[in-house]
Amino acid sequence: MTGAAVERVLAPVRSRLIETLAGRSDEVPAWILRLEDGGDEGFFGPDSAAWAVHGGMPTLVAGVRALLLQALHPGALAGVRDFSRYREDPLGRLAGTIQWIHTVTFGSRGQAVAGSEMVRSLHRRVTGTYVDGHGVERPYSANDPDLARWVHLAFTDAFLTAHEHWGGPIPGGADGYVAEWATAAELMGVPDAPRSAAALRAEIDAVTDAGELRGGPEVEEIVRFIRRAPLRRTLRPSYRIVFRAAVSTLEPRHRDVLGLPTTAAERVLPLHGATSAVLAGARTLLGPQPQAELAARRRLARLGAA
C-alpha cells in the first residue's frame, strides 16, 4: 500500500480522534493558538515532569481512570450529575477539561491563572446536597476545598499511574510530577496539596479508609456511561481497550465499589501490550507532541527561553 493510500485510510480516523479530544477537527482551536502569545515562560517548561506526563499518550488512559475515581466521591459525583451536560455534550465537557489541563501545563503563568479562575467562576453555581458515605445529607459546592482536593488527588494519581504503566521516564520521577502539579491545586483553591507520590497515595487511602467513598445506582449509571462513551464507530474498539486499561490500574477496593471486579479473562489477556499498541497508534495519528506543546515552544522561542 502506498503512502497516499495509507493516508486515505488514516485520515478519517485521525479526524474522529481529534474531534473527540478537541471538540472539532477542521482547525486548531483558538485557545491553543493563544498559548503562543503568552508573555512569560509559564509555571513549567520543556524539561518539567508536567510536560512529560501531560504531553504523552497515556493521558488517554488517565482521563478515563480519573473520571472513575472521582465518581466514587458522592459530593463530586453530585456536581457532575446535577450540573454537567455530560450526556448531552460529553465531548464538549472533555474538550473543556483538556483545555484547562493544557493551559495550565503549557501556557504562560497569566494564562494558567486566568484559565483556572474561569473554571472556578463556572463552579460557583455548582451547589446542592448529597448523601455522603455514612448516609448523612450534606451541602456541596464544586469550589469547596475538600471536594476540589479529591478531584485533584484523583486526577494526579490517574495521570501518574497511567504514565508509570505506559509512559517514559519522568524528570524528577513520580515525586517530581506530584510536587509540580500541586501548583495546579493551588490555582484551583486547594491548599497544601501533596508533594510526593507517597503523600498523594496516603491521602487517597485516608479518604477511602474513612468511608467517604461509596457506590450505588448513581455510580453504576456513570460507570455504564463511561464504559460505553458515545464515540464514533471507528474509535470504539480502541476505546474498549483504553477503558479496560484504566480499570486495570485501579486499586481492587476501588474497583469493587465501582462494580468492576477483576475477571478471570483479564488475568490472562495481554492487556498491557494491547494498550501500548493503541497508544502507539494514537501517537501516529496525532503526532509526537500535542498542539498545545508546540504552541508553547513557539512562545518560548519568541521569548528567547527555548
Side-chain angles (χ1 to χ4, degrees):
M1 185 178 290
T2 66
V6 170
E7 178 58 27
R8 283 196 297 273
V9 172
L10 294 181
V13 183
R14 179 185 296 113
S15 177
R16 298 294 180 256
L17 182 56
I18 294 173
E19 178 187 42
T20 299
L21 299 174
R24 58 187 300 171
S25 61
D26 56 338
E27 62 183 30
V28 177
W31 67 265
I32 290 181
L33 299 177
R34 286 194 293 270
L35 298 182
E36 183 176 345
D37 301 328
D40 58 66
E41 297 175 25
F43 286 105
F44 314 107
D47 297 325
S48 67
W51 274 43
V53 173
H54 298 162
M57 287 301 112
T59 56
L60 299 177
V61 177
V64 175
R65 188 185 193 276
L67 289 175
L68 292 170
L69 195 54
Q70 288 169 10
L72 286 175
H73 194 297
L77 180 59
V80 172
R81 181 196 65 221
D82 296 343
F83 288 90
S84 171
R85 298 183 67 252
Y86 74 92
R87 285 196 174 279
E88 294 83 1
D89 185 21
L91 300 186
R93 184 171 186 268
L94 173 62
T97 300
I98 292 173
Q99 177 175 342
W100 174 78
I101 295 168
H102 280 186
T103 298
V104 174
T105 304
F106 300 112
S108 68
R109 290 183 177 231
Q111 290 167 333
V113 170
S116 298
E117 283 300 317
M118 182 185 69
V119 173
R120 296 192 71 194
S121 69
L122 294 174
H123 282 176
R124 291 190 186 106
R125 67 182 181 86
V126 181
T127 60
T129 62
Y130 73 96
V131 177
D132 70 13
H134 305 284
V136 177
E137 185 173 285
R138 297 183 180 277
Y140 75 82
S141 166
N143 282 332
D144 179 277
D146 288 339
L147 288 186
R149 190 176 196 85
W150 176 252
V151 171
H152 173 75
L153 295 175
F155 175 98
T156 308
D157 187 49
F159 279 70
L160 174 59
T161 300
H163 197 88
E164 287 177 329
H165 277 75
W166 292 284
I170 302 174
D175 289 345
Y177 173 68
V178 176
E180 284 185 10
W181 199 238
T183 298
E186 294 169 358
L187 292 176
M188 294 300 291
V190 179
D192 302 319
R195 293 183 174 275
S196 71
L200 169 70
R201 280 150 184 168
E203 284 205 31
I204 292 175
D205 287 343
V207 174
T208 305
D209 294 341
E212 298 297 327
L213 311 180
R214 66 174 175 85
E218 292 168 344
V219 173
E220 292 169 2
E221 178 185 0
I222 199 163
V223 168
R224 283 194 298 270
F225 182 83
I226 297 171
R227 185 201 289 269
R228 299 179 178 86
L231 300 175
R232 299 280 191 169
R233 188 181 301 275
T234 53
L235 301 180
R236 290 176 193 170
S238 295
Y239 180 78
R240 283 195 288 270
I241 293 173
V242 167
F243 178 85
R244 287 173 46 213
V247 171
S248 75
T249 66
L250 290 167
E251 289 186 31
R253 57 180 174 169
H254 292 148
R255 292 189 61 165
D256 288 342
V257 179
L258 286 164
L260 296 167
T262 304
T263 65
E266 285 180 293
R267 297 189 183 98
V268 298
L269 290 174
L271 181 58
H272 184 88
T275 305
S276 296
V278 167
L279 299 182
R283 181 174 292 279
T284 297
L285 293 171
L286 298 175
Q289 297 166 304
Q291 288 294 325
E293 179 181 335
L294 296 176
R297 289 184 179 276
R298 292 193 295 271
R299 182 183 77 251
L300 293 175
R302 174 173 56 81
L303 296 172

